[in-house]
Amino acid sequence: MMVSRRHFVTQLAAGASLACGSPLVWSSSPRPHSTSALTSNHAVATVHPLATDAAMEILHSGGNAIDAAIAAALVLGVVDGHNSGIGGGCLVLIRLADGRIRAIDGRETAGAAAHPSQFTSKGKADPQLSQTGPLASGVPGQIAAMDRMHRAHGNLPWERLFDHAIRIAHEGHPASRSTARTVAREAEDLIRYPASRGILLHSNGEPFREGELLVQRDLAQTLRNIAAHGGDWFYAGEFAKTTCRYLASIGGFLTESDFVRYQALDRNPLSQPYRHHTVIGFPTPSSGGIHIAQMLAMLEPYELHGIFESSSIQGYHLLAECMKRAFADRAYWLGDSDFVDVPRGLLNGDYLRDRMKDFSPKGASIGIERGVPPGSDPSVYATRELEQAVPKESEDRKHTTHLTVADAHGNWVAMTCTVNTSWGSKVMVPGTGVMLNNQMDDFSLAPGTPNAFGLVGSYANAIAPGKRPLSSMSPSIVLDADRLPAVTCGAAGGPRIITATLQVLLRVLDLKQAIKDAISGCRVHHQWSPDTLLAEKANPTTNGVSTERERGNNDPYAITQETMDGLQSLGHTVRPAEALAIAQGIQRDGDRLRAAHDPRAQGSSGD
Ligand code: GLY
């Protein structure tokens, strides 16, 4: 059954969200609070010290959390361009000082000419085409999302937010270890595109090495133009023209009309009660908010702290079983809800209790299938292809980036940005310094065909013109019983984003850990297909970034060889993993904010 195209998202009125049928879930109603200071400080966490410094400087200069998040995201696009940049997209969850919540969707969008057949060779779906080259990109959404959040809530002038990024791009910065590592890994593809080669490789073809000065003058000029002329220059002006002309010359289909038509959208945030808190998450096109809410509801009947205290093996077993059930639903039901009906019943309490009915502490459930949420048509998509899918392990790579900022007034921003896999499509637009995303790979090229992350999907996530590919990005904000912001978290790492964000939240809310320990603690990941439980062993020795001191040694729930053996004997296929996802978070502790970055990367945080 083909997914029908309901309408183009551009036909949505500003502020509308799930346009087909009723909204998936409710939005949290505004509860105004005083705008006097909520805390005595502000806080920032990102994966790069230059981005954290930029956000801090903006806050110290009278900017609010919205301004600071934009400045940090722009800097990350310069110093961490393999993960995110203005050629990519983002999802932004904002808790405003007056209590309103906004979910701004800057997800990339398929062009009007997009069709599954473009990603086929010799009659078969060919992920190479959705991962590298001129077909791999959707229309970038990051600039539109930042423009939308700044127009509504920014404090400092738009162009001021570009100062740091422009300066760093113009003067250069020492390439980070992860930049150097990803350039070396992707050099074979980067070399095929002259602008990518010109910026990231030396004239003899050698990749930039860690510590070498990476100068990006074209990107600096592009940023200057956007600072001066706004998003129109990007979507309806020179950038769109140059990009589409270049893409057409190398076989791409995106058009200037696709750029003109692009809009960042407001979505109805998800709101899931959990114990004495409310967890606010991002709805489709993210799958993250829905599945975190599902797993929280599945876990709520269990006394997690007691379970983990008596046996970490039992604790991680329970988490893995929830993950399998949620990801089985993801593969079948999830897609862009402007195009397909994503059942509201996925978050129905009875449905989720029923999903866990066959959970046994004695062993892993075999043959878990997607559920049938109330009010859904169980036969809407075929399952044969999903059942026949050949499972694919994804590599231990952590693409994407999550940053978070909270200011003293109570504005909190959780922002996840991405060009998808490292250096996106590998296609840099000549003369602009902008690397285009490869987000088309987040669609299901064909039911059951795994993407770069090993994820499979049904026709719900099939390619269609104007559609947004399903994401795992999971910016999350937790409100306390007074609906004041208590914790925020999000992560990078493909589908591991969902399970990492869940585990950080559980460690804070159930295991009563401080955000720093919650982020550094060991994690597991199961995504239903392949049927493999990834487990981070404590004290990694080869990552070169995480340190034994920072990670594992202080974790009362560390995953040891004994934990892994225990999980294996419960029937899980356990595979040790080096580092699952990179998370950033902030926690409010009375009137103090505490920020934490992930020791698995070279980030920084300040509060
Ligand atoms: N491109 C990664 C994600 O959005 O899940």
Side-chain angles (χ1 to χ4, degrees):
M1 193 203 97
M2 283 305 291
V3 172
S4 61
R5 183 164 71 89
R6 305 286 175 116
H7 55 252
F8 262 67
V9 286
T10 49
Q11 290 166 341
L12 288 176
S17 63
L18 309 177
C20 70
S22 44
L24 180 66
V25 285
W26 58 98
S27 67
S28 61
S29 55
R31 276 265 312 263
H33 287 281
S34 137
T35 51
S36 62
L38 178 68
T39 55
S40 58
N41 64 334
H42 39 237
V44 180
T46 81
V47 295
H48 200 290
L50 290 173
T52 300
D53 291 350
M56 276 295 187
E57 191 278 324
I58 290 287
L59 288 165
H60 288 137
S61 304
N64 60 18
I66 291 91
D67 298 317
I70 293 171
L74 289 167
V75 170
L76 287 172
V78 175
V79 299
D80 197 54
H82 52 291
N83 283 322
S84 72
I86 61 174
C90 61
L91 300 180
V92 195
L93 196 59
I94 306 174
R95 187 268 179 195
L96 293 160
D98 64 7
R100 283 177 296 156
I101 307 280
R102 285 191 73 175
I104 297 178
D105 168 4
R107 185 69 166 160
E108 295 89 331
T109 299
H115 192 274
S117 62
Q118 292 155 352
F119 301 90
T120 303
S121 49
K122 297 191 186 122
K124 273 181 62 183
D126 182 357
Q128 179 63 22
L129 296 169
S130 58
Q131 289 171 18
T132 307
L135 298 175
S137 308
V139 180
Q142 183 168 322
I143 289 293
M146 296 195 304
D147 181 65
R148 195 173 182 88
M149 60 201 265
H150 179 262
R151 273 175 203 275
H153 308 296
N155 214 20
L156 292 182
W158 169 251
E159 58 272 21
R160 170 74 173 84
L161 310 181
F162 286 71
D163 285 356
H164 298 82
I166 291 170
R167 185 178 44 74
I168 297 166
H170 184 85
E171 292 174 4
H173 74 283
S176 69
R177 182 176 305 157
S178 52
T179 294
R181 193 186 285 156
T182 54
V183 170
R185 199 174 62 212
E186 309 297 343
E188 220 174 276
D189 286 325
L190 291 167
I191 213 161
R192 290 161 53 197
Y193 301 99
S196 313
R197 184 174 63 224
I199 299 288
L200 298 171
L201 304 168
H202 291 293
S203 49
N204 65 0
E206 284 291 312
F208 260 78
R209 279 187 284 277
E210 181 182 356
E212 285 188 306
L213 195 70
L214 189 52
V215 176
Q216 300 170 79
R217 295 270 157 87
D218 287 345
L219 181 56
Q221 189 52 44
T222 294
L223 292 169
R224 271 187 213 106
N225 285 325
I226 301 170
H229 308 296
D232 274 359
W233 184 85
F234 189 89
Y235 290 101
E238 206 47 46
F239 180 80
K241 249 195 212 70
T242 308
T243 299
C244 296
R245 211 172 26 230
Y246 177 61
L247 285 179
S249 76
I250 58 171
F253 292 108
L254 284 183
T255 64
E256 287 178 55
S257 310
D258 292 328
F259 274 75
V260 168
R261 200 181 287 129
Y262 186 86
Q263 282 185 29
L265 299 170
D266 263 83
R267 302 289 184 185
N268 282 333
L270 302 178
S271 177
Q272 177 68 28
Y274 183 68
R275 308 208 193 278
H276 302 299
H277 292 85
T278 303
V279 178
I280 309 290
F282 211 100
T284 61
S286 171
S287 60
I290 290 172
H291 297 308
I292 288 172
Q294 280 195 310
M295 291 187 282
L296 290 172
M298 289 186 222
L299 290 166
E300 190 144 30
Y302 297 90
E303 211 282 280
L304 269 194
H305 188 258
I307 293 172
F308 267 93
E309 281 297 303
S310 59
S311 163
S312 291
I313 296 168
Q314 277 301 320
Y316 288 118
H317 168 56
L318 174 59
L319 297 189
E321 291 296 305
C322 292
M323 292 172 188
K324 282 155 69 170
R325 286 159 175 81
F327 274 86
D329 278 355
R330 186 192 195 277
Y332 187 77
W333 291 112
L334 268 280
D336 178 347
S337 54
D338 285 335
F339 285 73
V340 295
D341 285 319
V342 177
R344 290 167 64 100
L346 285 168
L347 292 178
N348 177 285
D350 291 338
Y351 167 70
L352 292 165
R353 266 186 293 283
D354 198 55
R355 287 292 272 154
M356 287 297 277
K357 194 171 68 194
D358 57 349
F359 167 75
S360 166
K362 298 205 180 102
S365 304
I366 312 287
I368 287 173
E369 291 176 5
R370 57 111 176 99
V372 182
S376 65
D377 175 356
S379 61
V380 65
Y381 309 118
T383 50
R384 196 172 44 83
E385 294 94 335
L386 291 181
E387 283 156 11
Q388 290 173 344
V390 181
K392 176 187 154 192
E393 301 278 353
S394 65
E395 298 100 350
D396 279 2
R397 291 178 189 166
K398 296 155 288 294
H399 320 280
T400 305
T401 194
H402 182 76
L403 68 101
T404 183
V405 184
D407 66 33
H409 291 288
N411 296 297
W412 286 40
V413 180
M415 181 167 184
T416 314
C417 308
T418 187
V419 290
N420 198 20
T421 60
S422 298
W423 301 109
S425 64
K426 323 299 181 273
V427 178
M428 187 180 282
V429 183
T432 71
V434 175
M435 186 65 84
L436 295 173
N437 66 84
N438 61 348
Q439 225 66 248
M440 293 300 284
D441 193 58
D442 271 350
F443 282 115
S444 311
L445 295 195
T449 300
N451 73 358
F453 302 108
L455 289 167
V456 289
S458 72
Y459 280 117
N461 188 32
I463 291 171
K467 194 173 175 186
R468 299 185 180 201
L470 202 56
S471 173
S472 296
M473 295 190 284
S474 308
S476 306
I477 296 177
V478 181
L479 307 179
D480 66 15
D482 296 322
R483 294 191 68 82
L484 292 172
V487 188
T488 180
C489 182
R496 296 125 189 235
I497 291 173
I498 301 173
T499 52
T501 304
L502 172 80
Q503 287 170 89
V504 173
L505 295 180
L506 294 174
R507 280 176 176 266
V508 173
L509 300 178
D510 287 276
L511 308 182
K512 304 297 174 207
Q513 292 189 315
I515 189 77
K516 181 172 185 294
D517 299 329
I519 283 178
S520 65
C522 295
R523 303 181 195 130
V524 295
H525 172 78
H526 202 303
Q527 62 185 49
W528 178 65
S529 176
D531 185 9
T532 305
L533 179 60
L534 300 178
E536 276 181 337
K537 267 178 90 170
N539 301 338
T541 53
T542 56
N543 193 15
V545 176
S546 305
T547 67
E548 295 184 20
R549 184 182 55 77
E550 281 183 298
R551 188 175 135 210
N553 280 354
N554 297 325
D555 184 4
Y557 315 109
I559 299 176
T560 60
Q561 189 57 48
E562 192 192 339
T563 324
M564 310 241 309
D565 292 346
L567 288 164
Q568 189 83 32
S569 69
L570 285 172
H572 295 284
T573 303
V574 182
R575 183 162 81 74
E578 182 70 21
L580 296 173
I582 305 296
Q584 266 63 241
I586 293 174
Q587 179 177 26
R588 186 170 58 83
D589 179 9
D591 82 334
R592 288 291 300 173
L593 294 170
R594 314 254 177 232
H597 61 276
D598 202 316
R600 295 163 182 80
Q602 293 175 300
S604 81
S605 47
D607 51 47

